[in-house]
Amino acid sequence: LDSVKEFMNEETNMDQTFDDDNEMMMELAQEAILEHTALCLYLESHTCYEQWRTICALSLRERPTTPPPLNYNNASSSHEFTSMIASAGDEISLQNDWRLYNKEVIRLSKKVVTAAKHAGEALMALATFPGGWLNSSSTNSPSKSSAGGADDNDDNLFEQHKEELEQLQKICLPHTIQMLHVVLDGTASFLEKINSSDSTTILGNNQQQENESSNEGSFRPRVWYQRALNLATLVAHDNYNLMDMYSHEQLQSFMTRISNTSTKLLHCTGDTRITFG
């Protein structure tokens, strides 16, 4: 009878050990999948960032030449009136040049804003990754998690892997925030540069208001500057622990970029925007 009891106890212990080991393996598998997802997201967001940079640079080089300004001054003499009649064809041609100029500015602006949205969303998803990017939820080494025990080599590998993840966090997360700031601040600067001339003269205020409403400010530099400034709040937020990933030098550099964006926003004209014709 004692032998039977001893055998049953051994069977029970073996089943418990198997369940514990199986649970540990499932946990490790889930951690591996989460790490893979996090790393893929970083590569994807970096690709979106590089695409935005390329599109922005090409769009600036493709910017059309600004036509001469339109002249709507009233004629003060019969001679000037006759001259205006004679140059009516030139005036119509100039108006057409402005329409073509506006159309090209709109096309380039749409390309940059669309790329900026894609890059911004990908980078923000990484910065706000649920539970923290590459933040392992497992705090126990294999020897502590496994009822059957694990050798010192497993413990060493676990600690080494944990340190590698922490190093990746400290390298990639500040870099991600930097790329995100470049996208937001750079898009605002692009919209200011490409719309620096008075290209909305012939389009009318009603069309401007309709465009502004439909695009929710996406073509206004001020909106993008403000989004760049909001990164300071994101970094300081306790939920994401981004502040802990910064060295003193990195944090100082980040605050300098935020300060520069703040200065740009103060000098940004509130009515600067792309108008669709």
Side-chain angles (χ1 to χ4, degrees):
L1 183 60
D2 292 338
S3 298
V4 173
K5 289 182 178 180
E6 184 177 350
F7 176 77
M8 294 297 295
N9 288 335
E10 290 178 357
E11 286 291 320
T12 301
N13 291 335
M14 290 179 63
D15 291 342
Q16 183 63 43
T17 300
F18 177 79
D19 291 340
D20 291 341
D21 289 344
N22 188 51
E23 182 179 350
M24 184 191 71
M25 292 301 297
M26 289 295 295
E27 180 181 349
L28 292 176
Q30 291 175 355
E31 289 288 337
I33 293 173
L34 192 61
E35 288 176 16
H36 176 74
T37 302
L39 291 172
C40 287
L41 180 59
Y42 179 80
L43 294 176
E44 178 187 351
S45 63
H46 191 273
T47 299
C48 291
Y49 169 75
E50 290 297 335
Q51 289 175 344
W52 169 84
R53 284 187 61 190
T54 301
I55 291 174
C56 194
L58 290 175
S59 296
L60 279 176
R61 287 200 290 268
E62 293 176 9
R63 177 186 175 181
T65 303
T66 306
L70 293 169
N71 184 12
Y72 289 110
N73 293 331
N74 294 327
S76 57
S77 66
S78 59
H79 175 73
E80 291 179 357
F81 180 77
T82 303
S83 177
M84 285 179 61
I85 295 298
S87 62
D90 294 336
E91 189 72 17
I92 293 174
S93 177
L94 184 57
Q95 289 183 3
N96 186 60
D97 289 343
W98 270 106
R99 289 190 176 92
L100 293 175
Y101 172 83
N102 276 323
K103 184 177 181 180
E104 184 64 9
V105 167
I106 291 164
R107 183 185 70 84
L108 296 175
S109 299
K110 280 183 175 180
K111 286 176 58 177
V112 172
V113 167
T114 299
K117 286 182 177 180
H118 290 161
E121 289 171 0
L123 291 165
M124 185 63 74
L126 194 152
T128 60
F129 194 83
W133 186 78
L134 285 185
N135 188 23
S136 175
S137 60
S138 177
T139 58
N140 293 329
S141 64
S143 62
K144 294 179 182 179
S145 301
S146 175
D151 55 31
D152 292 339
N153 187 50
D154 290 335
D155 288 344
N156 292 336
L157 290 176
F158 176 83
E159 292 300 327
Q160 180 181 350
H161 182 63
K162 187 177 180 181
E163 290 177 3
E164 290 173 350
L165 293 182
E166 291 174 353
Q167 287 299 317
L168 281 174
Q169 286 178 313
K170 291 181 179 180
I171 293 173
C172 296
L173 285 174
H175 185 233
T176 296
I177 298 299
Q178 179 180 342
M179 289 190 292
L180 185 53
H181 180 270
V182 170
V183 169
L184 300 176
D185 185 273
T187 300
S189 297
F190 170 86
L191 292 174
E192 282 191 310
K193 290 176 182 177
I194 203 166
N195 199 42
S196 58
S197 61
D198 183 18
S199 59
T200 65
T201 305
I202 62 177
L203 297 180
N205 292 329
N206 292 335
Q207 185 66 34
Q208 290 182 13
Q209 293 172 2
E210 180 181 348
N211 166 70
E212 183 179 351
S213 174
S214 61
N215 289 280
E216 299 180 353
S218 294
F219 294 87
R220 301 188 67 176
R222 177 177 293 274
V223 172
W224 291 92
Y225 280 136
Q226 186 59 58
R227 291 174 183 173
L229 289 180
N230 291 343
L231 293 180
T233 303
L234 175 67
V235 170
H237 205 294
D238 293 335
N239 287 357
Y240 307 116
N241 296 322
L242 294 173
M243 184 79 76
D244 297 336
M245 303 300 145
Y246 281 81
S247 65
H248 176 74
E249 292 76 14
Q250 288 174 325
L251 191 59
Q252 192 173 30
S253 176
F254 171 70
M255 294 310 299
T256 298
R257 289 194 295 270
I258 291 297
S259 177
N260 292 337
T261 298
S262 179
T263 301
K264 293 177 184 178
L265 179 59
L266 289 175
H267 291 87
C268 180
T269 304
D271 290 332
T272 302
R273 58 182 175 272
I274 301 297
T275 303
F276 291 75

